Every structure is written in C-alpha cells, then in structure tokens.
Amino acid sequence: MSLRQLVWTLVSSELDEKLDEHKLHGTFLRSFQRLSSSGRGTVAPPDELIVKHLQGLGRQRGHDRHVLRFQSLRSRLHHSAARPVLALLFHLRGGDRGVVEDVSRPTLKEVRGGWHLASLANQKEISEAKIVRDLLFALQGVSSDCFDSSCEVDPAVLLTRPAWLLCHRILGLAKLHLRLSTDAKEAMGHGLLHQALCEALRKQLQGYYEVLAQLMSCEGLSLRSLWARLLAPMTRLHFLSQLCEGSRGVFGGALSSMVFASGFSGDIVAQDLAKEILRSVVKPLWSMIRAWMTEGELQDPYGEFFVIADASVPLEDLWNRAYSLELEMVPSFISLELARKILLAGKSVNFIRLCCRRTWSPEPLGTSELLPEEEIGASFDLASRVERLSSKTNEHLVKLLMNHFSLGEHALALRRFLLLGQGDFVQSLMDALQEELDIDANKIHKHQLMGILEMALRQSNAQFCSVDVLGRLGIKLRSPERGERGWDVFLLDYSIDSPLHVVFTPNIMQKYDRAFSFLWKLRRVSHALAASWNQHMALQRHLCRDQRDSLDRLSLLETRQTLHRCTLLRHEMHHFVQNVQSYVLEVLDTSWAKLQQGWQKSSDLDEVISQHERYLAAVEEGAFLAKGSEAILSGVSALLSLVLEFCTLQEQACASCFEVAAVEEEESVEAVFQAVRGRPFARSLAECRASLDHLASTFQMKLQLFLRALEDRSIQATASVSYWWVGISVAAVAEFDSPA
C-alpha cells in the first residue's frame, strides 16, 4: 500500500463519515502535505504547538497532567522521526482551534503534480523555473538560493515529496560532477597513464558542460523534463565515477587493464565510452613501447612500463640480467608472448649498441594509437607491427654474431680443442706432454706447457685455423690435490670476450672444462693402452728373435704366460674403452649436427643461446656428467683408473722381462736369479701374474657394478636409449675369457 493510500485510509477512519467529499479531500490534502514536507509546514515545531494546545486545555480543566505526560512520551521518541507524525496527529486532532498555518492550502491538482513550492523566509511561492535554474547552477558546482555548495537542499526551502525526490536525484548528478572534477585535478605525480586518464575525464566533463549549456538556453524547462534530459549524462558520469573509484591505487599497465576490463559490459554506451578513454590512457604506454623497441630507452619516470631495468648489473650480464618483465604491469590486452617480443627487441637494440659497439636504427614503429586488436579490427594490428620490428632487429643481431663475430667458428674451435675433436692435434699433444704430465702436479709450470702446446699446433692440421682462434687457445691448471699428477690438473683454455660472452658464459665454459677433463682422461687411457701394446709387441719380437736352451726355454715360457695374461686383460679393457669412446663420439657428432641445424633456424639471440645450451646438455649426457649420472660416471672413472693401473703394471712386467732377457744373454742361470731377486725396480714375473689376476678380478667386479648402474639409469630415464646400447656392448666384453 502506498503512502497516499495510507494517509487517505487514516483520514477517512478518523473523520466523521457525514462530512461531504469536498471537505474530506481538503483534509486529506492538508494531511498529505504535512507528512510529505516532513513537518516543515508550521512556523513553530509541532511538539511546541501540541504543548501550547495541551496547556490551553489544562487551564480550562485546572490541571497540567496532560502536558507532563506528553513531554514524558516525547522524550522516548526520536525527535527528527517523530516530528512529521506529531504534525499529522496535531492536524487531525479535530476542530481548527490552535492550528498555526504558514502556507496557503493547495488544491488537489497541485498536490497530485507535487509542485507546491514555498520559502519560509518570505512566505512566497518559489517558481518551478527558479528551482530548475538553481539546479542547473548546482550541476555546475555553483551554489544558489535553493541549494548550497555541497549540493544539498537549503533547509529553508519547502518542497513536496515528489519535487524533493526529483531534486535529490538531480543533485546526485551534481555530486558526481563534484567528485569527478576533484579527481580530474589530481593528475600530477601519479604517473603518465594516470595523467592521461585525468585528461580523458576532463574531456568527458567538457561534453557534460556542453549539455548543461544547451539546457540553460532552453525556455520553459520543467523539473521533469530536466530530469529526463539529464538521464544520458548521468549514465556517463556514473560510469566515469566507477572508473575513478577502480583506478585508486592502480597505476601503469594495470591501470590500462582496468580501463580495458570496464568495457566488457552489455551497455553499448559504456563500451564506447571505455574505448574512447582507453585510446587516451594507452598513448603514454605506446610511446614507451616505441622508444624501447626503436631506441632501447626506458622513458618511464614513474615505473609504469612492464619492462624494468637493473642498473646495478654489469655490462657483461646485460642480456641475461639487466632487463626483465614486470608481469603485474603487462596490460591484459597484450599477451605474455607479445610482451616477451617487445622486451627482446629492446634488449637486442641495447646489446648491439653497448656490447657489439655497432649502430642500429630500426624502422619507426608507427604513430598509430595503441589499442587491442579485437577493439579496432584491421585498422591497427599491434602484434603484427611488434612482430615485424622485433624480427628485423633480432635477425640483424643474429647475423652480426654469426658473420662479423664468427660465433660458429668459435663454437667449432671449442669442439676441436676443448672437446678433443681435432684427433691429430690431441695425439701430438699427448705424445709431447707425456713426460711433463707424469710428474707431480705441484712441479709443473704453465709457461713450460705453453711451448709444448704451440709445437703440437704446428705439427697438426690445427695450424690452419684462423689467427684469432689460435690466439685464444691456451692452458690453465686446476688447483692440485694431494697425490695428483699433471694429467689430473691439466686443462686447455679458450679465451672469450664480448659479445661472444653472451653465448659462452663463465658457467658454460665451466661445463666445457668438465667435459674436457672426462674426455682427456678417456683419451689418455686409450693412449696408454696403445703405448702398452707397442711395448708388448717390442718385447714379443725380441723374445721370438732369440732362441734359448732348455733352461732358457723354461724362462721364456714363464715370460710368455705372463704376457698372455696381459694380452687377455688388455683386450678386455681396450674393448671397454673403445665402446665408451665410440658412444661419446657418436653423441658429440650428433649433437653438433643438431646445433648447426638449430642455429640456422634461430630467429633471435635467445634461441641461439638455447640451442647451444641444449647442445652442451647433450654433451654432458653423453659424457655421463649430467645430473643423475653420478653413479655411471663414478663407475666409468673407476674402470679407467684400473686401466691406467694395468698399463703401469704391464710396463713393469715388460721391464722385468727385458731385464731377464738381457741378463740371460751375458750371464749364467744363477746370475739371472740373483739379478731378479736383487733389484727392487724389477719385479718377478710371478708377482706380476699375481697382481694381474687381482687386477682382472677387480676389473670384473667394477664392470658388473657399472652394468647395474647402467640398467638402473635406463629404467629411471627411458629416453636414454644410448645407455642400453653401451650396457649391451659392455656385457659382451664380460663374456671374454678371463685370464688363466
């Protein structure tokens, strides 16, 4: 039931049913006016009028208990809420005695229209035109007779309920205007994108002022027509107000994301308005992107761009650590992949200028407005422009590294020297370093080894490498530990400078050093086995050439038994070493071919670095240096150490045989036995055979442990099929006849 119906029911039930309809309507109109004007229709407050009325009744009846009871009841009521009710009850008390009227009684037509407007100050009617004019002033933030500077109705103005409601709604628009005007002035010091947002707000308010100017020029504008014509501006200002509230505490790319998200609405007006504001907000962002991609400069005084720089990073780490993405600042309409390309383009420009020391001026990115692709269709494609400029810059950088700085040539040099791919050079170097590296590690000196290195280069095809490559090759010695010899601390070195350091970082060069140490030991073992075989063949030829008597033949038989056991064990070890070498060589060749193919397809420096890292990871996997291959590497190292121990043992056995043979040629049998027993450096053949048997059993045991490690590794990493191949090859070795 509405308020009007409630008042009508109350008036009808309280008044005499014999009253005619005209008087009943008059009472209803006065009562409704009193209630809708919230008790402001009397000069004095209604409670005072009631007190005066009750005092008059008390004087007539000779007591004041009605006054006291009323005051007690009034103290229990909320004063502001009780006043209109008291005014209505006082008006309906019956009779016209004591009623203080301050306004003329309106007609039924006036109340239904709701336009009974008056001022208590001068008891004159306020015209609707004046209210409309004062409302237009309030909508511009100007105070007037009816409305104060805070956009509230002056307390001295009397309005009917409908008029008050319309004024209240229109004044709500005036308050929105005041808040937006304040927000639009708070632009300085909040960032470039925030300033652009405030500028867009001022532009929208300018359109609002144009609407008000048109309304000011209209004649005969009613309150209702004013409200109807303000509905469209109110919708726009409501949207702008929500946008301002959502932008508090948000800046940079996150601010543009917020504006972009506000356009996802079913309201077409809100969509168009959000698009228009977004055009202004992203202009500073577009300028930042253009400056970064073309000049490599961060024009970001307020930290709003999604690319950030670390000024403390040294120049050699520019590519990997100097610049990064601030993910919170990436606008929602720019994908992470597109943001990465923007970052990469600026990094490439700076790398070309600072590390390569070359000038590079890419084509301008364009001056079109930056907007999401789905917002503007084919008129502007941000992704295509960024892709085109980024691709051109990155392609230029890759060509610069490959052609001018010879990245491929230096990678090949690392493969030839640090990964021992230049076979004749490695063989020559090992032959020349044999005596130098056999001594204690603390007694060797780098300057002595450098001369041997230069000689090995001149004796091999490595001499045909470029002067730049040969000039970078050197030697470094690892800090020795107790008991280590020169073989254990020797390393080849390759000097790297800018801009190649971005690919061959210190961490990458450490991985090359680890691979060199393993491959160097593998080649050393192979070289030692070859030297052992040569020594064996020399002794065999010497024994076959000399014929002895029966006693000499017994000594010869014992010698040949010892050499036979050496031959069996050496063949077994050689088979193992050759299989490991073949496997590692296959890994190196395959990985190198993949690296060449990958570099041919690389479109930016990150891909070049990634391809090289994958190549080196494959090398580490093949050399059993990858994470998870510790057990296999330990097994291989133990077996290689046993091979070196065997070579030393055979060398001693051959020395004993040569010594026995030499003594037999000149002395008697008794002198032979005395020579064997009397010289500590010449071990007896029996002791040699015992040591060989022990070494063979130890090798078989280590070999079985290695096979189990291979099997476990293959089960855990099924992709490593090569491990199975090595395991099968080594298992075939284990089936050889063991020494008798």
Side-chain angles (χ1 to χ4, degrees), residues 245-289:
E245 290 296 326
S247 66
R248 299 187 188 280
V250 182
F251 66 100
L255 179 62
S256 61
S257 298
M258 186 272 298
V259 176
F260 176 67
S262 65
F264 288 92
S265 170
D267 189 355
I268 298 180
V269 175
Q271 293 178 7
D272 296 339
L273 192 57
K275 184 189 302 184
E276 185 176 352
I277 295 176
L278 186 61
R279 291 180 184 274
S280 300
V281 170
V282 297
K283 284 182 179 179
L285 182 62
W286 178 236
S287 299
M288 295 177 193
I289 293 177

Side-chain angles (χ1 to χ4, degrees), residues 34-202:
R34 299 285 183 178
L35 186 60
S36 62
S37 60
S38 301
R40 292 195 290 261
T42 57
V43 175
D47 50 353
E48 296 181 6
L49 296 177
I50 293 175
V51 169
K52 291 180 181 179
H53 176 70
L54 294 177
Q55 287 175 349
L57 293 178
R59 285 192 297 270
Q60 294 178 1
R61 300 176 181 178
H63 57 79
D64 294 335
R65 64 175 179 269
H66 294 294
V67 177
L68 296 176
R69 184 179 181 187
F70 170 74
Q71 290 177 346
S72 176
L73 293 173
R74 184 184 60 178
S75 64
R76 303 178 187 179
L77 299 174
H78 190 277
H79 185 68
S80 60
R83 178 171 293 181
V85 178
L86 292 175
L88 178 61
L89 294 176
F90 179 74
H91 181 69
L92 298 176
R93 71 193 183 283
D96 292 333
R97 296 188 304 269
V99 180
V100 182
E101 297 288 349
D102 59 335
V103 296
S104 60
R105 296 180 179 180
T107 64
L108 178 62
K109 180 179 179 181
E110 289 174 330
V111 173
R112 288 177 178 174
W115 311 129
H116 185 70
L117 313 168
S119 173
L120 296 177
N122 51 21
Q123 303 293 316
K124 294 182 180 179
E125 291 187 0
I126 300 177
S127 65
E128 184 178 358
K130 177 175 176 56
I131 293 295
V132 170
R133 186 197 63 181
D134 287 357
L135 282 173
L136 289 174
F137 287 153
L139 290 171
Q140 301 175 61
V142 180
S143 60
S144 58
D145 296 338
C146 298
F147 310 104
D148 56 23
S149 58
S150 60
C151 298
E152 296 289 347
V153 180
D154 194 301
V157 176
L158 177 65
L159 298 175
T160 61
R161 185 68 176 175
W164 182 86
L165 288 175
L166 280 179
C167 290
H168 178 72
R169 293 172 182 173
I170 295 175
L171 291 176
L173 178 59
K175 294 177 181 179
L176 284 177
H177 165 257
L178 288 179
R179 288 200 298 269
L180 289 174
S181 299
T182 303
D183 292 337
K185 295 176 182 178
E186 297 178 355
M188 301 305 296
H190 290 79
L192 299 179
L193 269 72
H194 187 80
Q195 295 177 24
L197 175 61
C198 293
E199 181 62 30
L201 291 179
R202 288 191 288 269

Side-chain angles (χ1 to χ4, degrees), residues 337-625:
E337 178 63 23
L338 187 60
R340 192 194 73 85
K341 291 181 179 179
I342 294 173
L343 169 67
L344 197 59
K347 282 173 56 177
S348 298
V349 172
N350 282 323
F351 189 84
I352 292 172
R353 294 180 177 177
L354 299 178
C355 296
C356 300
R357 302 188 182 280
R358 296 292 186 274
T359 58
W360 169 246
S361 299
E363 63 179 9
L365 191 56
T367 57
S368 301
E369 296 178 344
L370 169 67
L371 275 181
E373 183 178 352
E374 60 270 18
E375 289 285 338
I376 55 177
S379 61
F380 176 74
D381 187 357
L382 171 65
S384 63
R385 292 197 177 196
V386 169
E387 177 70 29
R388 183 171 63 254
L389 181 59
S390 179
S391 298
K392 189 172 183 179
T393 303
N394 294 327
E395 182 182 356
H396 177 74
L397 175 56
V398 172
K399 288 183 177 179
L400 191 64
L401 289 176
M402 290 295 182
N403 300 332
H404 188 274
F405 293 99
S406 305
L407 176 62
E409 182 181 359
H410 292 294
L412 179 59
L414 289 173
R415 167 170 161 73
R416 285 176 173 174
F417 299 114
L418 269 62
L419 299 183
L420 307 184
Q422 188 77 31
D424 57 342
F425 162 75
V426 176
Q427 184 67 34
S428 177
L429 183 64
M430 281 195 167
D431 292 338
L433 289 174
Q434 181 72 42
E435 295 182 2
E436 294 290 338
L437 298 183
D438 277 340
I439 63 176
D440 188 83
N442 293 311
K443 297 181 180 180
I444 62 176
H445 302 283
K446 181 179 177 181
H447 65 276
Q448 296 176 348
L449 302 179
M450 283 298 299
I452 298 176
L453 174 63
E454 293 175 0
M455 181 184 66
L457 289 172
R458 289 193 298 270
Q459 292 176 351
S460 64
N461 288 329
Q463 62 180 315
F464 300 110
C465 294
S466 66
V467 177
D468 182 34
V469 169
L470 296 179
R472 295 172 183 267
L473 190 61
I475 291 176
K476 60 183 178 181
L477 301 176
R478 185 174 52 82
S479 299
E481 298 180 359
R482 182 184 297 273
E484 288 187 331
R485 293 195 294 173
W487 293 101
D488 302 316
V489 299
F490 177 82
L491 292 171
L492 283 181
D493 187 27
Y494 195 82
S495 177
I496 296 294
D497 54 12
S498 180
L500 298 177
H501 69 278
V502 70
V503 179
F504 307 116
T505 62
N507 182 49
I508 291 296
M509 297 308 296
Q510 289 179 5
K511 294 182 178 181
Y512 271 106
D513 289 343
R514 292 184 63 205
F516 174 83
S517 296
F518 173 79
L519 296 174
W520 181 252
K521 185 174 184 179
L522 189 60
R523 293 297 293 268
R524 175 198 171 191
V525 169
S526 179
H527 183 269
L529 284 174
S532 175
W533 181 83
N534 289 332
Q535 190 179 32
H536 187 136
M537 291 296 101
L539 179 59
Q540 189 71 32
R541 287 192 297 269
H542 180 73
L543 294 177
C544 292
R545 186 170 57 249
D546 298 333
Q547 299 295 328
R548 306 297 176 197
D549 55 19
S550 60
L551 181 60
D552 295 337
R553 285 194 295 271
L554 290 175
S555 178
L556 182 62
L557 178 60
E558 185 178 1
T559 301
R560 287 181 174 177
Q561 288 178 351
T562 304
L563 294 180
H564 178 67
R565 293 190 182 183
C566 290
T567 301
L568 291 178
L569 185 54
R570 185 179 61 253
H571 284 174
E572 186 175 349
M573 291 179 171
H574 178 73
H575 190 72
F576 165 75
V577 173
Q578 285 298 108
N579 275 280
V580 175
Q581 272 191 319
S582 299
Y583 163 67
V584 173
L585 182 60
E586 180 183 358
V587 170
L588 292 177
D589 291 340
T590 304
S591 303
W592 176 255
K594 290 182 179 179
L595 175 63
Q596 298 304 304
Q597 294 176 1
W599 274 358
Q600 290 177 1
K601 298 178 182 178
S602 296
S603 59
D604 56 61
L605 183 53
D606 275 343
E607 291 186 10
V608 171
I609 296 173
S610 178
Q611 291 289 343
H612 183 260
E613 289 178 347
R614 282 196 288 269
Y615 160 71
L616 205 54
V619 171
E620 287 186 312
E621 188 80 12
F624 314 110
L625 300 174

